[in-house]
Amino acid sequence: MERIGKSYPIHDAYAKVTGKAKYAGDIKLDNMLHVAVLFSEIPHGKVLEVDSSEALGMEGVVAVLDPFNTTKNKYSRYKTRDEQNVELTERIFAEHVKFVGDPVAAVVAETEEFARKAVKKIKVKYEKYDFALTIEEALAGKNSKIANKGVISANLEATYGDKNIDCSDCIKVETKVNIQRLHHATMETHACVVDIDFSNDSIIVYSPNQSVFGVRTLLSNLFEIPNHKVRVVKTTMGGSFGAKQEWLIEPIAVACALKVERPVRLVYNREECMTSTIVRAEMKNRLTTYFQKNGKLKNAEVDVLINKGAYEGNSIPYIATMLSKYARAYRFENLTYRGRAILTNTPVSGAFRGWTAGEAASTIEHNFNEAAKLLNIDPVELRLRNCMLNGEKDLQTGVSLDDIRMKECILLGKEKFEWDKRKELREEFNKNNERYKRGIGIGCGGHVSGFYPKVIDYSRVDMKMTDQGKIIVNTTIHDHGCGTVTVFKIITAEIFDIPLDDIQISEGDTEKTPYDLGCYSSRTTYVVGKTAQNCAIELLNMILKYAAKFLKTDPENLYVKLGNIYSKRDKEIKLSYKEVVFYMMYKEQIEAFVSVNYKNESNPGTVAAQFAEVEVDTYSGMVKVLKFIAVHDIGKALNREMCIAQIQGSVVMGIGSALSEHFKIRDDGKPFNSLKDYHVINSYEIPETEVYLIEDQGNNGPFGAKSIGEVAIVPVAATISGAVNDALGSSIGKIPLNPDTIVEYLHKSN
């Protein structure tokens, strides 16, 4: 392969570093107005009155929208397809406010400055209700008015495997892990621009999102507009990590545009993003495992409690998905699961990178570390005895994990990390140091490559070659800034043996690109990328067919190299793509165009083993990560450096979630909504990180590629927390392991 596996920059790298890339917040339309939103300042209550008279009298103000002059239709921020059975619980502007940050009203004005000044002048009269900020308070009935069906928004109980399993000779290991609420902290905040096309009575929505067709479904149903009259265009995205998978500001912006019949722009600042969009759920997990004395895992019982926040959102699929993540890396003979999502008066929990897999890994890996102590088995060896092997099946779905290389990841990581040597060095260091203690940890985790078999999982790609021999690929992808467009160029260029610059690829636009489910469940490269590969092959075959007709030979006699077509029999024959397409269009009168549908019916396991060494300052509770090694089973790296960069970025993100990031809520329901209080790690804290890729290609992905974007973060927090516990000789089942937590433990243990 000439291009697969090599390294290329992302398609818009130059535009971004020179400041020429255009994000949603940069879009300027003629006659455009600006929107600012007023959010509830109480955690629970009823809006009795909105007095906007002072705001309406201010300079530049055009309109004020509130619960009483806007549609009362409800929507679900998570509903992306009409066939989804999802309860509709939210309104554009809340009359029943359920958390500090619920949108109550919006000002539309000539400038953003005017809008933000005016929104402060709106007076809201509330009837206050009792509220609950924690799972325990909600279950005790403190916020009984939050929903008609009660505070439990999802409840799932299921058992998979051998229900009659005998564990009488097993060692029981019971652990608890509490996981904190996280903010996505994307560089680009939430933004949306809405235009109205009066020529055909339709709306155009520009937003950085993970599913243009999902946004279209929500808006079409909410505003009762036929979906062909709703055009959604995916804009340049400055990161998502799941934050832009659910749609929160698009309904507000559309409502405002329809009200004033002019284009509008709505851009949230950092405080508004932290308060009013979505967060990763706070979670309480209890895992009970049963191990034989030889270290083989027989049975597991899981109980999960999720603080869902104020609205149901993705509660039901989130709970169900967490169940599926437990058996992606390890073999369970039986797994009994109970998951509940609880409504509280806090910011809404939603999608976050890894979609429960990281939380599952933190729960499992902590349990395995405790089991290793009880069984007196090395933690690496315990994982080797229980990891999934090539060809084994997902316990829940029964689908083969195909070429899963969990064992190889662990063994290579152990070698590169020098696990046994570091164990000895750690013991020697800790023996000779009172203040500083070192520890090592291993974490494993797995993820998926698409929806199959739980949800429909198909895609379509259209492709044509121009009369200059260049290629235009029409597909619906959503590049988060991670290089998706470049990957699709690599796939296409490999088939045609042409430079990447000879290919133009679109992103999602509901009016112009084919239908696609969206960028979820790590499906883009595996499913849509495979569709692109199939489409490129079919287009090339079409071109070879007409080249053979032009040359009066058989297509099997032709081959391509460096953008030209050659004959296997006659070395003198050479045709350019341009010549062939010119012949097709102006002699045969047919365009070099194909359209290919592809239905995915597989879901190979994508897994990782990660190793870390940390040093803990027992006086301050500060943790320094000294070394990190990540080994990933990736199938095939299409853009090698981008795969490595994805993993390195995930390590940084995962370390932050393990040691410092924690989205906290005050006792009055108001969140700490500033990055001065939400501690992402700094560049100087990033450790030396080595990345190793295991490539096999034994699956149905394009050139054997599997997913990387989400699995990269899955074991990171588990690996770091395991190393910290190893350093302290502790069994702390709480994330983040920040200085407060560590010092509290040290104080109690002394």
Side-chain angles (χ1 to χ4, degrees):
M1 291 184 283
E2 297 299 320
R3 291 164 183 80
I4 298 296
K6 295 182 172 59
S7 298
Y8 302 87
I10 60 175
H11 73 289
D12 54 359
Y14 175 79
K16 286 176 175 173
V17 299
T18 57
K20 295 177 181 177
K22 182 175 285 189
Y23 295 84
D26 298 319
I27 295 174
K28 297 178 181 178
L29 302 176
D30 290 340
N31 205 30
M32 185 173 73
L33 298 171
H34 298 262
V35 180
V37 178
L38 177 70
F39 304 98
S40 172
E41 293 186 349
I42 67 169
H44 200 195
K46 183 178 181 180
V47 176
L48 299 176
E49 181 183 326
V50 177
D51 181 358
S52 56
S53 56
E54 188 175 352
L56 284 167
M58 294 181 69
E59 181 183 3
V61 173
V62 176
V64 175
L65 287 75
D66 60 43
F68 306 109
N69 64 10
T70 309
T71 178
K72 289 182 168 50
N73 290 347
K74 293 184 178 181
Y75 69 97
S76 166
R77 61 178 63 199
Y78 180 69
K79 184 165 184 173
T80 60
R81 307 180 310 279
D82 282 330
E83 49 88 20
Q84 278 180 290
N85 184 19
V86 178
E87 188 172 349
L88 309 181
T89 59
E90 296 186 62
R91 283 182 54 189
I92 299 170
F93 300 109
E95 191 173 348
H96 176 183
V97 294
K98 298 182 180 181
F99 71 106
V100 174
D102 226 347
V104 173
V107 171
V108 188
E110 296 291 343
T111 69
E112 183 177 353
E113 183 182 9
F114 288 156
R116 288 192 175 276
K117 283 183 178 179
V119 84
K120 295 177 182 178
K121 300 299 182 180
I122 299 174
K123 298 178 179 64
V124 182
K125 183 177 180 181
Y126 297 100
E127 178 186 349
K128 295 182 179 181
Y129 297 159
D130 289 341
F131 61 91
L133 304 179
T134 67
I135 291 171
E136 292 78 9
E137 289 174 344
L139 290 173
K142 288 194 67 175
N143 62 339
S144 58
K145 291 184 178 182
I146 195 167
N148 292 333
K149 69 176 187 179
V151 299
I152 300 177
S153 68
N155 190 356
L156 174 64
E157 297 185 37
T159 300
Y160 293 93
D162 181 4
K163 298 179 181 180
N164 299 314
I165 192 167
D166 182 9
C167 295
S168 58
D169 62 341
C170 293
I171 293 174
K172 179 180 177 181
V173 184
E174 185 172 345
T175 51
K176 295 179 181 179
V177 174
N178 293 341
I179 301 171
Q180 83 279 35
R181 186 185 281 110
L182 290 179
H183 168 58
H184 297 78
T186 60
M187 291 183 71
E188 178 199 27
T189 60
H190 286 67
C192 179
V193 172
V194 178
D195 195 7
I196 299 179
D197 184 351
F198 291 101
S199 64
N200 64 8
D201 193 28
S202 64
I203 60 172
I204 307 171
V205 180
Y206 302 92
S207 81
N209 65 79
Q210 292 182 222
S211 175
V212 290
F213 288 96
V215 178
R216 186 183 71 171
T217 296
L218 185 153
L219 297 176
S220 172
N221 292 337
L222 175 61
F223 293 99
E224 301 178 273
I225 303 171
N227 63 16
H228 73 292
K229 297 285 189 179
V230 179
R231 180 185 174 192
V232 181
V233 181
K234 186 265 177 190
T235 56
T236 301
M237 184 187 290
S240 175
F241 313 118
K244 295 159 188 172
Q245 180 179 324
E246 300 172 34
W247 304 292
L248 318 158
I249 70 170
E250 288 85 352
I252 297 173
V254 171
C256 291
L258 293 175
K259 179 78 170 180
V260 299
E261 297 186 336
R262 286 172 62 180
V264 302
R265 182 170 71 191
L266 171 58
V267 180
Y268 276 3
N269 60 30
R270 180 64 59 187
E271 290 181 357
E272 291 165 340
C273 281
M274 295 183 77
T275 301
S276 189
T277 60
I278 58 174
V279 295
R280 190 187 78 173
E282 178 188 27
M283 193 176 294
K284 297 177 183 294
N285 296 342
R286 184 175 71 245
L287 174 60
T288 304
T289 53
Y290 298 83
F291 286 88
Q292 292 179 321
K293 293 180 181 179
N294 63 4
K296 290 291 183 71
L297 177 61
K298 296 286 287 182
N299 188 25
E301 299 165 357
V302 188
D303 190 276
V304 176
L305 271 174
I306 291 177
N307 186 334
K308 194 63 192 68
Y311 292 100
E312 181 175 287
N314 65 5
S315 292
I316 295 172
Y318 202 82
I319 283 289
T321 300
M322 188 161 186
L323 164 60
S324 71
K325 299 296 170 58
Y326 275 89
R328 296 300 291 188
Y330 296 116
R331 186 185 310 104
F332 293 82
E333 292 188 27
N334 186 70
L335 177 64
T336 300
Y337 176 89
R338 186 186 185 193
R340 287 170 290 167
I342 310 301
L343 294 172
T344 64
N345 300 105
T346 60
V348 184
S349 299
F352 193 94
R353 188 178 194 177
W355 238 81
T356 73
E359 298 95 297
S362 292
T363 305
I364 296 169
E365 298 303 305
H366 182 63
N367 186 275
F368 268 52
N369 289 336
E370 294 304 301
K373 296 175 189 177
L374 290 172
L375 295 164
N376 196 28
I377 297 175
D378 179 84
V380 173
E381 179 59 32
L382 184 64
R383 286 159 174 85
L384 285 169
R385 295 181 189 183
N386 292 285
C387 66
M388 296 292 267
L389 301 175
N390 193 31
E392 292 192 289
K393 296 181 179 180
D394 183 298
L395 180 67
Q396 183 187 14
T397 65
V399 173
S400 173
L401 298 177
D402 294 337
D403 61 329
I404 189 169
R405 300 296 178 184
M406 188 75 258
K407 182 177 180 180
E408 289 87 339
C409 287
I410 296 171
L411 290 172
L412 181 59
K414 179 183 179 183
E415 173 195 338
K416 297 296 183 181
F417 188 73
E418 299 181 295
W419 176 266
D420 293 329
K421 180 180 178 180
R422 285 183 189 274
K423 280 175 68 175
E424 295 176 4
L425 292 173
R426 171 209 60 186
E427 290 178 11
E428 186 68 22
F429 181 90
N430 291 344
K431 200 180 294 181
N432 297 322
N433 286 272
E434 178 186 349
R435 177 173 177 176
Y436 297 99
K437 300 296 180 182
R438 290 185 177 177
I440 58 176
I442 175 178
C444 298
H447 206 265
V448 296
S449 298
F451 280 129
Y452 183 81
K454 295 181 179 179
V455 182
I456 55 172
D457 201 5
Y458 70 94
S459 187
R460 193 188 102 209
V461 172
D462 303 336
M463 197 175 295
K464 66 181 177 181
M465 184 173 279
T466 71
D467 54 2
Q468 291 185 349
K470 312 302 182 183
I471 298 215
I472 297 175
V473 182
N474 188 27
T475 181
T476 298
I477 54 177
H478 305 77
D479 195 319
H480 297 192
C482 57
T484 305
V485 169
T486 299
V487 164
F488 276 66
K489 286 188 175 185
I490 293 169
I491 292 169
T492 308
E494 184 66 42
I495 299 297
F496 288 93
D497 201 7
I498 57 177
L500 271 64
D501 285 344
D502 285 357
I503 302 165
Q504 181 70 28
I505 294 184
S506 61
E507 290 195 65
D509 180 337
T510 57
E511 190 175 276
K512 299 181 182 299
T513 61
Y515 178 80
D516 188 77
L517 297 173
C519 184
Y520 317 124
S521 200
S522 291
R523 63 179 293 275
T524 297
T525 295
Y526 188 73
V527 180
V528 190
K530 182 64 174 181
T531 315
Q533 182 186 19
N534 292 347
C535 191
I537 291 170
E538 188 163 325
L539 179 58
L540 179 60
N541 288 338
M542 180 187 191
I543 290 167
L544 291 176
K545 172 186 171 183
Y546 281 94
K549 187 174 182 180
F550 177 75
L551 295 169
K552 297 181 173 56
T553 185
D554 299 323
E556 294 76 16
N557 178 44
L558 303 177
Y559 68 96
V560 299
K561 185 175 182 180
L562 297 176
N564 292 299
I565 299 170
Y566 297 90
S567 169
K568 297 174 184 176
R569 299 175 192 147
D570 187 346
K571 301 301 181 184
E572 299 299 316
I573 291 178
K574 176 184 174 181
L575 278 176
S576 68
Y577 285 135
K578 178 179 179 179
E579 290 173 298
V580 178
V581 176
F582 191 90
Y583 165 75
M584 292 173 63
M585 294 177 70
Y586 301 111
K587 298 297 182 181
E588 295 291 336
Q589 299 181 56
I590 185 169
E591 187 175 17
F593 167 86
V594 297
S595 179
V596 169
N597 285 279
Y598 171 69
K599 181 172 70 171
N600 175 44
E601 294 183 324
S602 61
N603 199 328
T606 176
V607 293
Q610 298 178 344
F611 296 76
E613 182 177 26
V614 303
E615 184 175 279
V616 183
D617 182 344
T618 60
Y619 289 7
S620 67
M622 297 293 290
V623 176
K624 183 178 182 181
V625 183
L626 304 174
K627 179 82 172 178
F628 200 96
I629 283 182
V631 186
H632 282 255
D633 163 25
I634 192 174
K636 181 64 180 177
L638 301 180
N639 188 351
R640 187 165 302 278
E641 284 303 319
M642 285 309 302
C643 291
I644 293 170
Q646 282 269 37
I647 296 167
Q648 290 171 331
S650 294
V651 170
V652 175
M653 194 174 188
I655 291 173
S657 69
L659 298 179
S660 61
E661 295 185 40
H662 190 181
F663 188 71
K664 296 181 179 180
I665 310 294
R666 296 179 175 88
D667 290 343
D668 61 0
K670 295 181 179 179
F672 290 88
N673 57 356
S674 167
L675 289 180
K676 73 179 179 63
D677 299 308
Y678 184 87
H679 303 296
V680 297
I681 67 169
N682 296 302
S683 58
Y684 69 85
E685 299 173 280
I686 299 170
E688 176 190 354
T689 301
E690 296 176 19
V691 175
Y692 299 93
L693 304 178
I694 291 179
E695 300 177 79
D696 186 277
Q697 304 180 59
N699 63 78
N700 294 327
F703 300 101
K706 300 190 285 190
S707 65
I708 186 61
E710 292 189 89
V711 71
I713 198 174
V714 170
V716 181
T719 305
I720 297 296
S721 60
V724 172
N725 275 319
D726 182 61
L728 298 174
S730 56
S731 301
I732 305 172
K734 182 180 179 182
I735 300 175
L737 287 168
N738 57 26
D740 291 344
T741 298
I742 291 172
V743 169
E744 180 185 7
Y745 163 78
L746 292 170
H747 178 73
K748 289 181 178 178
S749 62
N750 292 330

